[in-house]
Amino acid sequence: MMLMRTKVALRLAVAAVVAASVCQASSIQVIFAPSSTTPRYTVGFVDADAGKVGQVGPITLPDSNCTPGWTLGHGTQGQTSTAFFVNMTWFVLGQELCGTTIMRTSLFGMFGYSESADPAVISRANRMLAQSGGIAIESAAASTTSASSSDVQHTAAGRLMFYGDFAAYSTSSMENWNIAWDWTCNILVICPQNVKGKTTFHTLQVSEYDSQVRPQPALLSYTTGCTDCWVKVAGSSALQQQPQTTPSRTAEENCGDQCVLYVTEEYRDSDGVLGALPQRLIGRTFRTGKVVSNISNSMNVKTWTSGSPYAMMSSKPSDGAVWSSTAPFFGLGVCCSADVQCAAECAGHSGSLALISYTGLAAAVKVLAVLPLRSTDDAAVDTFALGLVIDPVQPWGPPGGEISARVFVKKTILTYALAPHGDGYIAHLNGTSAPMKSTPVAWTLQRDM
């Protein structure tokens, strides 16, 4: 099925004031939903250590004749948002609603950077924006705002870009979709579609450079309403690069058949009842849909976020790098009940959220820390929706560096330091921010190059 590529530039203006040193280490870009005082979506930065939100700016979405009109996804990374950490682009799904009717689903992208970013990065961003019909990024000096005495003057600006309309594939709720960065310059969009009694999850490869949409083989499909079958669970996904002995040779220069996309599935029994068996974590190559991994989801994993892929490379891409090992996933799970075999770290914490790690394929899911929050608490909804923000080690640095994982708990940001230990990681709480006044609908880390 062919999609028409629409070149529509959508303006996003944002000026944020945070400490330059903080942006390098702990600044998180956030999107806030409209409110009674702010009728539009806004974007800005939050200091993950202090919980302080910098100046925000409005996001201008496409015009709509509907009410409520456009809404952005309130889902974790790998579900309704994803990030390309190298050039600091961020992608979010959006839907146009007429009442409760979904009119169309679209993919939007934006740049996030600071005034201390490499000028070459901004120059490249402007070229890419021009190719997609966008507006050049303003210079930081044009929107500098005075900072308090405790801050260093710092600004960020970007433009929202439109990457395609997927209404031809599905009008399903965004929670059933998934998006993931393919580790080069494409975004994978997993689109659910129900046609003639069959549910299919299509895989589309969307180019960041020219917005071209390249359909791939379907990720999976099954009879709608089937019994005695496994069906996909709405929620986060994650893409992982398996170790390579030679560089990628795909036309898109991505990891090709060694890119494994992980999703969660659950069993529907002969009576159509879900949950008769434990959920499973399934890994499939995104280019073929071939199953390469199948393990029990004993930790009820809810979110996935990849660690730094670049620390896993033997050298820079220009030097003919190959992936020397597998970047781990970090995420959030739930400690199981006492009558089910569970991780030893969960003893006495049944129902509590847990920070987990998973290296993929047949490896076991490991518990790194138990969080001060239960899955039945109202606040857990926002914690799961945002997932983790991972501060990756510096690209091309020596493998094995410490990683910071940030999680939103009861309006505070908890920062955990994840240090390599044996064949995995150990975690310790490194800081707790002051409470934030508002809860973001999406967040991602933005780093200087």
Side-chain angles (χ1 to χ4, degrees):
M1 185 179 298
M2 297 299 294
L3 291 178
M4 295 296 292
R5 179 170 65 90
T6 307
K7 290 187 176 181
V8 181
L10 302 168
R11 180 168 178 138
L12 161 68
V14 53
V17 182
V18 290
S21 60
V22 168
C23 188
Q24 178 77 15
S26 60
S27 182
I28 297 172
Q29 190 170 0
V30 292
I31 293 176
F32 293 106
S35 65
S36 57
T37 57
T38 307
R40 296 165 65 183
Y41 281 95
T42 53
V43 62
F45 287 94
V46 59
D47 181 337
D49 297 324
K52 297 169 61 177
V53 179
Q55 183 178 340
V56 298
I59 295 176
T60 301
L61 291 165
D63 293 333
S64 174
N65 295 322
C66 292
T67 301
W70 282 96
T71 180
L72 297 180
H74 187 181
T76 187
Q77 182 165 303
Q79 184 180 17
T80 59
S81 68
T82 191
F84 178 8
F85 295 110
V86 177
N87 68 358
M88 296 169 287
T89 43
W90 188 17
F91 298 85
V92 182
L93 284 176
Q95 287 186 329
E96 184 183 20
L97 302 179
C98 281
T100 59
T101 301
I102 301 170
M103 304 304 295
R104 54 178 172 157
T105 304
S106 299
L107 178 66
F108 300 100
M110 69 184 79
F111 284 91
Y113 66 95
S114 72
E115 64 180 355
S116 56
D118 186 337
V121 174
I122 298 176
S123 174
R124 183 169 68 247
N126 280 335
R127 290 198 302 273
M128 292 170 61
L129 282 163
Q131 291 170 2
S132 63
I135 303 171
I137 295 172
E138 295 174 354
S139 65
S143 55
T144 299
T145 305
S146 297
S148 66
S149 58
S150 61
D151 292 328
V152 176
Q153 289 191 26
H154 183 80
T155 62
R159 292 289 181 270
L160 194 64
M161 295 174 289
F162 180 68
Y163 276 90
D165 188 344
F166 308 118
Y169 278 87
S170 174
T171 54
S172 177
S173 171
M174 279 186 285
E175 67 180 9
N176 296 312
W177 292 58
N178 293 101
I179 60 176
W181 168 46
D182 79 339
W183 294 40
T184 53
C185 299
N186 303 279
I187 303 302
L188 303 180
V189 181
I190 310 301
C191 309
Q193 184 184 44
N194 298 316
V195 176
K196 296 182 179 179
K198 188 175 184 179
T199 299
T200 301
F201 289 86
H202 298 278
T203 300
L204 307 177
Q205 187 170 282
V206 183
S207 170
E208 180 177 7
Y209 284 92
D210 60 12
S211 303
Q212 290 287 346
V213 178
R214 300 178 176 89
Q216 306 293 309
L219 186 71
L220 74 156
S221 62
Y222 45 80
T223 300
T224 304
C226 64
T227 58
D228 192 22
C229 60
W230 289 88
V231 297
K232 182 179 175 296
V233 175
S236 184
S237 68
L239 190 72
Q240 184 184 54
Q241 162 69 71
Q242 294 300 312
Q244 287 180 278
T245 55
T246 58
S248 170
R249 287 291 182 266
T250 65
E252 299 82 14
E253 291 298 325
N254 60 24
C255 46
D257 292 341
Q258 288 156 313
C259 274
V260 178
L261 185 71
Y262 290 85
V263 298
T264 306
E265 296 182 355
E266 60 184 342
Y267 180 71
R268 183 184 288 150
D269 67 16
S270 57
D271 295 322
V273 178
L274 294 169
L277 296 174
Q279 291 183 347
R280 64 186 190 182
L281 305 178
I282 296 290
R284 291 182 172 86
T285 58
F286 86 84
R287 282 160 51 89
T288 65
K290 177 183 177 182
V291 175
V292 296
S293 174
N294 179 350
I295 69 168
S296 175
N297 187 13
S298 60
M299 278 302 301
N300 196 13
V301 176
K302 299 290 189 181
T303 75
W304 316 63
T305 301
S306 178
S308 172
Y310 297 100
M312 303 295 134
M313 297 189 77
S314 58
S315 57
K316 293 184 179 182
S318 59
D319 300 327
V322 297
W323 303 94
S324 58
S325 60
T326 301
F329 293 130
F330 300 101
L332 297 174
V334 179
C335 286
C336 52
S337 58
D339 59 344
V340 178
Q341 184 177 1
C342 198
E345 294 84 352
C346 283
H349 298 287
S350 175
S352 294
L353 275 62
L355 178 63
I356 59 93
S357 67
Y358 173 52
T359 55
L361 299 182
V365 175
K366 297 182 179 181
V367 175
L368 303 181
V370 176
L371 304 182
L373 185 67
R374 297 180 61 82
S375 61
T376 53
D377 294 342
D378 291 342
V381 174
D382 293 323
T383 300
F384 284 137
L386 289 171
L388 297 180
V389 170
I390 298 294
D391 180 3
V393 295
Q394 187 66 22
W396 328 127
E402 187 175 275
I403 297 172
S404 291
R406 296 180 172 88
V407 57
F408 190 87
V409 176
K410 299 178 180 178
K411 292 191 179 297
T412 65
I413 300 173
L414 305 185
T415 299
Y416 286 87
L418 310 179
H421 180 75
D423 62 349
Y425 286 79
I426 57 174
H428 67 269
L429 184 62
N430 209 24
T432 302
S433 76
M436 294 176 58
K437 294 181 179 180
S438 301
T439 300
V441 298
W443 66 352
T444 190
L445 185 83
Q446 295 294 351
R447 291 176 62 92
D448 292 339
M449 294 296 290

